[in-house]
Amino acid sequence: MNLPEPSNFIEEIVVKDIKNQKYTKQVHTRFPPEPNGYLHLGHAKSICLNFGLADKYGGITNLRFDDTNPTTEDTEYVNSIMEDVKWLGYEWENLYYASDHFPKLYEYAVILIKKGLAYVDDSTAEQIAEQKGTPTSPGKESPYRNRSVEENLDLFERMKNGEFPEGSKVLRAKIDMASPNMHMRDPLMYRIKFEEHHRTGKQWCIYPMYDFAHGLCDALEGITHSICTLEFEVHRPLYDWFIENTGAFPSQQIEFARLNLSYTVMSKRKLLQLVNEKFVEGWDDPRLPTLSGVRRRGYPAAALRNFAHTIGVAKRDNLIDISLLEHCVREELNKTSNRYMAVFDPIKVTITNYPDNQTENLIVENNPEDPNAGHRQVSFSKNLFIEKEDFMENPPKKYFRLFPGGMVRLKHAYIIQCNQVIKNEKGEVQELLCTYIPESKSGNDTSGLKVKGTLHWVNENDCIPATIHLYDRLFTDPQPDAHDGKDFKEFINPNSLVVLKNVKVEPAVQYLKTLDTFQFLRHGYFCIDKNSSQKNIIINRTVALKDSWSKIQNQEA
Ligand code: ATP
Ligand code: MG
């Protein structure tokens, strides 16, 4: 069999397993989110890894909602998670909820009880914690540990039937209270909770614990490679123990380092705080690292897949520079985005030698990077706007933009020269009177003039107003949640959103739809916000043009 070259240690394991015919079935992975929040970029890494692995080695991937805790879960989250996975470009083979497996998990628990490997414990939570011991001293056996199989079967069934109050009993695995691995010291398997579950309602009043449920759900679905983050490495012996002792399908757990990104936080709990305490507008605020947030901001799914691929998988935790992600976003958008012109802070330019009622339609390429992107018309007249910051009355040396007496090229159009500056009574520049060089038209320039600066502009006669949201990093510190004694919210960047209300854009922009992405020349990549309408155009800046990642790379090279 011709297998694709493995490009990381997980793929090496997969290739080895295929070659050794460890499983009689195809590679089967799963993505197992708990529906207690919106997915973030860390989850995107896990999704790309699980689905990517199956795609590469001819396998399949399940989506499984880990809904074993009835308290925190919600259907709103379930729906957003499905939407996010599809948006990333993946299709799951089967959709499961861990709760679909509750009856089978119950049977597995009975198997363990019958083997004398699980018991019902009446100890209180405090007593159980005390019995645990410490990493350096062994634990104590519970006084209920040696109940007979018959008694355990009876009590467990009655737990299920709701005969005992919450907290009065638990089911524990009988392993080893002296194990150096604390997770093996008779871990809990089931607890009593009289709580309504978002799918099973009041059918159950006992709920399985994560370690027991997770591996056995993998086994029930025939998952061959169960990929999870490093903190579960110490749980692996328990994962294996449950599978071995129930005789379930031998799924195997493989751990990789979670994604940590600079200048943001990526735990659902912390993101929930930012949302609930109104530091951001909602789960899809474009400043958040949630998938709904970055989508609204204009990050293409392909850029996230490429990012996940570029960072690869590591066995040790590390911090990824967010500028690498921005670099991937830019690379993708550079290929796919049409270019438009927008003036963020307009100043009026009048071309005094251009005929009064004349309009010229310039034919311009939509995207010089993509010959198939077509052309559009951009109209030129004597009344234009340019960026206020592209003009200086008293410029320093080597200033290539416009100044009195200076010349620049207007993109796609003509070379102009500034002849006169008109000011208001406060002395502020109001208008620039310029002349154009008719022989200097772009594409047909016979003027022989050489100018260094090229400015973007819009035509006053047909440009339209728009609001632009400029986003900066949400935190001022690269690791906001890594400061002892300080709350991560102390590092919120007060200027993470700047709203520009006086922007003029070329008319083609009004026909773009929500999430369409494009470049504004010299300003960066943008997309249409979900709250935008033809009357009130709202545009998000996805990412600026300046690529600090390439700069870092060049310095290192
Ligand atoms: P959070 O801490 O944000 O709540 P979680 O790990 O509890 O995340 P789950 O819904 O349990 O979130 O995770 C679903 C899958 O996504 C798991 O397999 C988990 O390992 C993976 N995952 C979560 N966060 C990251 C991350 N930062 N990097 C890589 N994978 C992650
Ligand atoms: Mg979790």
Side-chain angles (χ1 to χ4, degrees):
M1 204 193 314
N2 244 346
L3 290 175
E5 261 319 288
S7 58
N8 59 52
F9 75 95
I10 299 180
E11 293 182 0
E12 278 163 18
I13 295 174
V14 168
V15 165
K16 197 177 82 203
D17 291 346
I18 296 175
K19 284 190 177 150
N20 295 342
Q21 300 184 318
K22 175 163 179 174
Y23 298 104
T24 51
K25 56 174 295 199
Q26 72 207 119
V27 172
H28 198 160
T29 57
R30 89 286 172 262
F31 173 64
E34 189 180 347
N36 62 349
Y38 281 65
L39 296 185
H40 50 62
L41 292 165
H43 295 112
K45 174 172 176 182
S46 173
I47 293 169
C48 293
L49 192 58
N50 279 293
F51 284 86
L53 199 65
D55 285 349
K56 185 164 173 180
Y57 292 102
I60 50 176
T61 305
N62 289 358
L63 174 62
R64 181 198 314 142
F65 289 105
D66 173 13
D67 58 351
T68 48
N69 180 1
T71 324
T72 53
E73 290 142 14
D74 202 304
T75 356
E76 177 196 344
Y77 299 136
V78 166
N79 292 334
S80 78
I81 289 170
M82 293 200 275
E83 192 186 337
D84 286 347
V85 174
K86 286 189 218 156
W87 174 69
L88 269 179
Y90 296 111
E91 270 177 55
W92 51 87
E93 181 76 14
N94 307 294
L95 173 67
Y96 284 114
Y97 293 81
S99 56
D100 297 338
H101 303 306
F102 281 171
K104 283 269 193 259
L105 292 173
Y106 183 81
E107 285 175 28
Y108 279 135
V110 170
I111 291 177
L112 292 175
I113 294 174
K114 284 184 176 162
K115 285 181 151 183
L117 292 174
Y119 61 98
V120 173
D121 194 336
D122 300 358
S123 307
T124 62
E126 294 74 40
Q127 286 164 338
I128 291 176
E130 220 180 85
Q131 291 160 17
K132 272 259 140 152
T134 67
T136 49
S137 63
K140 277 200 317 266
E141 295 189 351
S142 159
Y144 303 95
R145 197 172 196 262
N146 294 315
R147 275 178 161 153
S148 69
V149 168
E150 288 68 38
E151 192 184 1
N152 281 321
L153 284 173
D154 173 61
L155 289 174
F156 186 51
E157 183 166 3
R158 288 165 58 196
M159 273 170 71
K160 181 187 74 156
N161 293 342
E163 289 185 30
F164 306 116
E166 249 174 58
S168 63
K169 286 184 171 42
V170 291
L171 184 73
R172 293 176 76 175
K174 191 170 177 178
I175 308 180
D176 179 5
M177 288 307 290
S179 170
N181 182 339
M182 301 285 283
H183 297 285
M184 300 298 274
R185 295 185 185 175
D186 290 11
L188 302 200
M189 291 167 56
Y190 272 93
R191 65 221 190 282
I192 301 172
K193 252 191 187 186
F194 288 94
E195 196 137 357
E196 207 161 319
H197 185 277
H198 77 124
R199 281 179 67 83
T200 57
K202 290 192 170 147
Q203 197 185 337
W204 293 88
C205 64
I206 53 171
Y207 289 96
M209 303 299 290
Y210 178 87
D211 282 316
F212 171 68
H214 195 85
L216 290 175
C217 285
D218 284 344
L220 286 166
E221 294 174 23
I223 303 303
T224 55
H225 300 85
S226 172
I227 300 164
C228 63
T229 41
L230 276 184
E231 65 271 25
F232 290 99
E233 191 170 4
V234 284
H235 298 240
R236 186 169 2 122
L238 185 53
Y239 182 103
D240 293 339
W241 189 92
F242 281 125
I243 284 182
E244 257 169 58
N245 288 292
T246 52
F249 180 83
S251 302
Q252 61 177 320
Q253 175 181 303
I254 305 168
E255 307 85 16
F256 73 102
R258 64 192 299 119
L259 168 65
N260 297 309
L261 256 191
S262 63
Y263 295 98
T264 190
V265 293
M266 272 200 300
S267 108
K268 280 180 274 185
R269 191 177 51 79
K270 288 178 188 147
L271 296 173
L272 186 64
Q273 282 181 48
L274 293 173
V275 172
N276 284 346
E277 295 169 32
K278 306 248 184 299
F279 286 99
V280 293
E281 267 177 42
W283 283 105
D284 66 350
D285 188 295
R287 292 165 291 182
L288 287 182
T290 53
L291 297 188
S292 42
V294 300
R295 176 165 66 234
R296 180 171 167 197
R297 182 160 171 169
Y299 283 23
L304 298 193
R305 292 194 300 267
N306 187 28
F307 172 66
H309 184 76
T310 306
I311 55 179
V313 289
K315 283 192 201 179
R316 259 205 271 147
D317 278 319
N318 56 359
L319 182 69
I320 303 287
D321 192 329
I322 198 164
S323 62
L324 172 59
L325 172 61
E326 291 166 350
H327 170 79
C328 294
V329 169
R330 251 182 232 109
E331 276 208 317
E332 183 63 28
L333 290 176
N334 180 42
K335 289 186 279 186
T336 56
S337 299
N338 286 350
R339 273 62 170 164
Y340 298 99
M341 294 197 284
V343 174
F344 285 9
D345 186 12
I347 180 168
K348 202 170 148 53
V349 166
T350 304
I351 313 285
T352 52
N353 61 339
Y354 196 84
D356 273 352
N357 294 314
Q358 185 168 316
T359 301
E360 227 173 307
N361 284 319
L362 311 166
I363 308 294
V364 310
E365 261 184 316
N366 278 326
N367 181 359
E369 301 287 325
D370 177 6
N372 298 320
H375 293 79
R376 72 175 189 290
Q377 294 188 351
V378 173
S379 76
F380 185 86
S381 76
K382 74 180 296 170
N383 304 308
L384 310 172
F385 289 117
I386 65 164
E387 239 24 281
K388 202 173 263 170
E389 62 164 41
D390 280 338
F391 172 79
M392 246 180 145
E393 207 173 358
N394 299 301
K397 268 196 192 143
K398 294 204 175 169
Y399 185 78
F400 298 133
R401 303 184 210 174
L402 200 56
F403 56 90
M407 280 189 175
V408 292
R409 171 170 295 283
L410 294 179
K411 182 75 181 174
H412 306 306
Y414 297 95
I415 293 175
I416 61 167
Q417 178 167 38
C418 177
N419 306 308
Q420 196 184 336
V421 181
I422 298 180
K423 296 182 181 174
N424 63 12
E425 56 287 2
K426 286 190 229 149
E428 296 158 344
V429 178
Q430 287 293 285
E431 185 181 345
L432 305 173
L433 300 186
C434 301
T435 45
Y436 85 119
I437 317 293
E439 308 79 54
S440 68
K441 190 167 175 176
S442 284
N444 186 22
D445 182 354
T446 56
S447 70
L449 292 168
K450 291 261 174 290
V451 296
K452 287 222 162 114
T454 300
L455 306 185
H456 60 272
W457 52 276
V458 292
N459 182 350
E460 184 184 5
N461 302 341
D462 66 3
C463 68
I464 46 176
T467 299
I468 290 199
H469 293 173
L470 297 179
Y471 297 105
D472 195 359
R473 290 165 183 172
L474 188 52
F475 295 94
T476 53
D477 188 276
Q479 286 180 278
D481 50 4
H483 296 268
D484 279 343
K486 281 200 173 171
D487 188 90
F488 70 101
K489 285 170 288 177
E490 288 180 37
F491 299 98
I492 293 243
N493 174 3
N495 303 315
S496 59
L497 169 62
V498 173
V499 179
L500 305 180
K501 290 192 177 282
N502 192 26
V503 175
K504 313 276 186 201
V505 301
E506 63 171 277
V509 171
Q510 67 190 308
Y511 304 111
L512 299 174
K513 300 180 304 295
T514 299
L515 292 190
D516 278 352
T517 54
F518 47 93
Q519 186 189 100
F520 278 141
L521 291 178
R522 297 174 69 216
H523 284 304
Y525 295 100
F526 294 79
C527 80
I528 304 287
D529 187 67
K530 67 166 189 187
N531 294 327
S532 182
S533 64
Q534 282 219 358
K535 277 211 185 94
N536 181 19
I537 298 177
I538 304 173
I539 297 170
N540 296 323
R541 179 154 74 186
T542 309
V543 66
L545 285 179
K546 200 180 100 206
D547 190 339
S548 46
W549 177 253
S550 296
K551 218 161 137 193
I552 294 168
Q553 294 303 291
N554 291 337
Q555 278 163 3
E556 282 173 1

